[in-house]
Amino acid sequence: QVQLVESGGGLVQAGGSLRLSCAVSGRTVSRSTMGWFRQAPGKEREFVAAITWNGASTSYADSVKGRFTISRDNAKNTVGLQMNSLKPEDTALYYCARGPWNLNADSRQYDLWGQGTQVTVSS
């Protein structure tokens, strides 16, 4: 059984940085697009970033473009999200998810989700 476990969340001041990590256990996801999504209180889950199975292509939400960087290490079965210049509006529960073979921002195309890690950015 494949499991995704996120880590690295926390409390940071605006302008600070955090690095999230998603560890995959049980089976490789080396042939899947992997994505990060987030959900703030009272809001719908939204796309943050995605990376293809070989890391050749990435996609970002406009709100994080230029500040966040997604990466993956298939040998270690991990996916990372480097978040710089954090803003209070980045506060949310961040989820790692396994997606289809192609880049996709539609959460309905992702079939396996972690439990999430909380990111809180203070002003």
Side-chain angles (χ1 to χ4, degrees), residues 50-105:
I51 186 167
T52 52
W53 68 273
N54 59 358
S57 296
T58 56
S59 177
Y60 296 92
D62 288 343
S63 59
V64 307
K65 205 171 290 184
R67 300 188 297 122
F68 291 12
T69 302
I70 189 171
S71 62
R72 68 189 296 166
D73 186 335
N74 286 338
K76 297 181 179 179
N77 244 5
T78 59
V79 182
L81 184 68
Q82 178 66 42
M83 306 186 296
N84 299 327
S85 302
L86 282 161
K87 305 175 181 180
E89 50 264 44
D90 294 318
T91 295
L93 190 59
Y94 282 71
Y95 297 91
C96 173
R98 182 183 69 182
W101 65 272
N102 59 328
L103 277 179
N104 205 303

Side-chain angles (χ1 to χ4, degrees), residues 24-46:
V24 183
S25 64
R27 188 176 175 182
T28 181
V29 292
S30 60
R31 292 296 177 178
S32 301
T33 284
M34 296 297 294
W36 286 95
F37 292 78
R38 66 187 183 187
Q39 186 167 19
K43 295 187 177 180
E44 291 189 354
R45 188 173 298 186
E46 65 173 0

Side-chain angles (χ1 to χ4, degrees), residues 2 4 6-7 15 18 21 39-40 54 59 62 73 75 89 97 110-111 113 116 118 122-123:
V2 183
L4 308 180
E6 303 94 337
S7 62
L18 281 175
S21 183
Q39 186 167 19
N54 59 358
S59 177
D62 288 343
D73 186 335
E89 50 264 44
Y110 288 73
D111 64 348
W113 295 77
Q118 179 67 39
S122 62
S123 57

